[in-house]
Amino acid sequence: QVQLLESGGGSVQTGGSLTLSCTATGHTENVCCMGFFRQAPGKERQGVATMPRNGRFPYYLDLMRGRATISQDNAERTLRLEMRNLKPADTATYYCASTAPTRGSCADRCPPDLAYTFWGQGTPVTVSS
């Protein structure tokens, strides 16, 4: 089991910045992929950014490319998402997620459509115009 705890959500005005953090605890030693996802009311969930364990090729949602930076501290098992130039369309609940621990090797990429088994409780982000 993996437990995920997000923090850092809040309210900002258009053009503002926020940094979300996610701390993973439990059996995290063999987790290959972690990421941030978002869901706005009435809309489908989107993968915002994901990070493979080796950090080689992060994934970014096209809408967030250039406005977001995902980073991780493997020793602390912490994931961080820095978001800049936020827009009202970025308003959503943001969730941290991870794949299940695996006995195999990890890939260099973590597509957002993988089976992300564990989820945090979510943190709201509101961007006002």
Side-chain angles (χ1 to χ4, degrees):
Q1 291 287 328
V2 176
Q3 295 81 41
L4 302 169
L5 182 63
E6 305 102 334
S7 62
S11 297
V12 295
Q13 292 188 327
T14 297
S17 301
L18 278 175
T19 296
L20 306 182
S21 295
C22 172
T23 300
T25 56
H27 295 289
T28 64
E29 58 274 11
N30 293 323
V31 168
C32 290
C33 296
M34 291 181 63
F36 284 95
F37 296 73
R38 69 185 184 187
Q39 188 163 22
K43 295 189 176 181
E44 290 188 358
R45 187 173 63 203
Q46 295 176 311
V48 178
T50 66
M51 177 71 87
R53 190 176 184 91
N54 65 12
R56 289 199 66 187
F57 299 109
Y59 160 86
Y60 291 98
L61 180 69
D62 285 346
L63 291 172
M64 296 300 294
R65 197 177 301 275
R67 299 192 294 124
T69 302
I70 191 168
S71 60
Q72 67 183 352
D73 181 333
N74 275 335
E76 297 293 329
R77 215 60 182 117
T78 299
L79 194 69
R80 189 166 287 112
L81 182 68
E82 300 176 37
M83 299 187 291
R84 305 172 293 278
N85 191 21
L86 286 164
K87 306 174 182 181
D90 297 318
T91 296
T93 298
Y94 285 69
Y95 299 89
C96 179
S98 80
T99 53
T102 179
R103 294 182 180 179
S105 59
C106 293
D108 291 339
R109 301 177 190 271
C110 292
D113 57 353
L114 287 178
Y116 288 83
T117 304
F118 300 101
W119 294 81
Q121 82 287 352
T123 184
V125 171
T126 302
V127 184
S128 58
S129 57

